Amino acid sequence: MRAQNAWAYGLRITIALGAVMALCWWQGRLPQVIALFLGITVSALAETDDSWRGRTRALLATLLCFALVAFGVEALIRQPLGFVLALVLFTFAFTLLGAVGERYRAIASASVILALYTAISMAPGAHTAQPGAWPVPALLLAGAAWYGLLSVAWCALFPHAPVRQNLATLFEQLGAYLRLKASLFEPVRAVDLERRRMALAQTNGRVVASLNTVKESLFNRLGPKPDPRVDGEMLRHMNLYFIAQDIHERASSSHYRYNEWAQTLFHSDVLYRCQRVLGLQGAACSQLAEALRQRQPFAPHAEGARAMEDLRAAIDYLAAQQQPAWQRALRSLRALVRNLSTLDAQIAAAAHPTGGSKLADPSLFNRRPRTLAEAWARIRAQLHPSAPLLRHALRLSLALGAGFVAMQLTDPVHGWWILLTTLFVCLPTYGATLARVGQRILGTVLGLVAGWALLRLFPGLPAQALITVAVGVLFFVTRTQHYVTATAAITLLVLLCFQQTTGNAYALIWPRMIDTVIGAAIATAAMLLVLPDWQGRRLHLLVAQAIGAHAAYLREIMSQYAEGKDDDLDYRLARRNAHNADAALSTALSQLLLEPRAVRRHARVGMQLLLLSHTLLNYLSALGAHRDKLFQSESHPLATEAAGQAADALEQMAQALKTRQPLPADHGGAAALALELEQRGDALADPFSPLVLVCQQLEPLRGACLQLLAEPE
């Protein structure tokens, strides 16, 4: 699917760059190629997934911001003090604008890049100006408008292609998650389940990110006021999204402690059969992803149904042995089989997503601001010293200011690559910045070496023009997945463009290398010295957010007892919030492990909390997966009381972590009720087995929270 995405993206870029290069050759205006190419580049960087109407509105906003920035730079370029002050201020303001949403974050980032591109194009020696030429800002805007119009036309011609491709990615991630989950069902003693659960938590973060991407794609097509009577391709995509949500809940469910299953059923093959069913379901999700990618019908393989029948037969055989030690495990296995059977049914439903029963509440929760007041409220929420976005805005602004000073001291005319490097490698987190610094320097070296070789091998300008377009396309199709290659491509593009316009690209090689190193050093110093946002300092807030979301998810599950299962918006929102919070905690811990050892004090307890939080979420997902059985149970009053006390305990932990106050005393009420519920052992209590596990998870979770609170910030 990434190849298909890259093909479509690459075709647009090829048309945009190729048309400009051909026009400039035909008109004899090669010196204008650089500014036009840079305009196309920055317009493509501002592009986000959208409908053609949304893309048109975004293009108008983009061109307005670009015009303000480009003509502002033109007015200030010969006033170094005024320029650097304006650069620092609007970088700070535009970075904060990203709080409004992804569309505005892309426009804001591209606007800052355009400011530096404008300065580069107007620098002495750029040779953009010639008799009858347009001003540099006009050329940049022309390039940006040309690519923007091409993008709008593409959105109109292929309105549903991005949604389908995002759905394919989602089901591919679900397939990977199911296959990894299958590795837990291995009846081998002393297996490192914690490591596998940690990998599962990280994979779950990628599934959650894909779910959010698909939801945003749907919103982009549905508009601010979605029509509830959607049909055709949009109905198919919405139903596939809801199917994926249900598959995710069932895939992330845990009905028992896997190590206890392995001990109890060590001499049986039943866990291998569970493993096989999950593996086949993962393969089916991957097949569905491929079918979406290729726009072909999807038909689940009959092998999965046979594997499910074999699993049921294995459980029936064990039950017939009437071994008392197996009864608890068998009850949980039956609940697991019900869950896997429903998961099979959901995968089968994906073959005909526009048929069958529809959700009673197909609405989606729109997190986007709907008014200017809501947008301003989002920005205002970032205006406090602990806000990561405010810290990044200050850090990036001051880093660019320092880069400008360094440019004045080293090369006031051509040192703009110092600022560009600083801008591209100074990312919100230390780990990401450090990784990007290494990638940027390596990519620049590779690009300069390749440029030197290609200029020697192909001295003719026509051949160089074709290579310029090709490497421009390579930059765009690799910039998100292969940053080293993308950096090498953009470096090569700059060299070739200068060779086309000045005939002396060799003089650019060493300055570009030196400027890259200086810019990378400034970005690294800024990350270390200017309000460093170490993940350990806000770990308690992320853990509190995750535990609080789990409590809300538990309350929403238990609220559905009266009428049974109902996938309404409130339930789906509580479930999504819990998974989003868990994914945010996983991402923060991944970044924490990349930070300097001196600020990694919370790494050990943080990993423990992530493992406990994700395991708790697995138990909650299992409880939610059996909502259709819960309201029939005679154990309802006891389970309701146990769930209420468990939710109260989770909320107390979340509040204590948020305020860094001591945890209230735990009287063990939820654990006692869970024990009573477990001892009933009747068939009607089967759906509540995950609730017992939820209550038993409270004590280790509380212990880890106490460790985090005891450690200094």
Side-chain angles (χ1 to χ4, degrees), residues 49 164 297 359 378 402 445 471 493 496 506 509 556 595 604 674:
D49 175 36
R164 187 173 60 253
L359 286 174
R378 288 196 175 191
V445 171
V471 296
L493 182 143
L496 293 172
Y506 294 104
I509 293 178
E556 192 60 40
E595 293 175 351
R604 184 187 59 79

Side-chain angles (χ1 to χ4, degrees), residues 193 257-264:
L193 285 177
R257 294 186 180 88
Y258 298 111
N259 55 343
E260 293 183 18
W261 260 344
Q263 290 290 339
T264 305

Side-chain angles (χ1 to χ4, degrees), residues 14 59 73 137 159 234 529 559 591 602 642 645 692 708:
T14 302
L59 176 61
V73 170
M234 185 54 64
L529 302 175
S559 71
Q591 292 295 331
H602 304 303
Q645 292 205 23
V692 174
L708 183 60

Side-chain angles (χ1 to χ4, degrees), residues 48-55 57 102-103 155 159-160 162-163 166 212-224 226 234 364 366 368:
T48 53
D49 175 36
D50 220 328
S51 65
W52 72 267
R53 293 183 181 86
R55 181 65 185 135
R57 292 191 294 269
E102 181 60 33
R103 175 188 293 173
C155 290
H160 298 294
V163 187
N166 289 332
N212 291 334
T213 299
V214 173
K215 190 186 76 170
E216 289 303 312
S217 277
L218 292 171
F219 269 129
N220 291 334
R221 274 79 190 167
L222 294 170
M234 185 54 64
L364 298 171
N366 192 349
R368 298 175 180 177

Side-chain angles (χ1 to χ4, degrees), residues 244-265:
Q245 278 194 320
D246 196 68
I247 289 175
H248 181 220
E249 180 176 55
R250 296 181 180 281
S252 59
S253 299
S254 290
H255 294 77
Y256 205 65
R257 294 186 180 88
Y258 298 111
N259 55 343
E260 293 183 18
W261 260 344
Q263 290 290 339
T264 305
L265 304 172

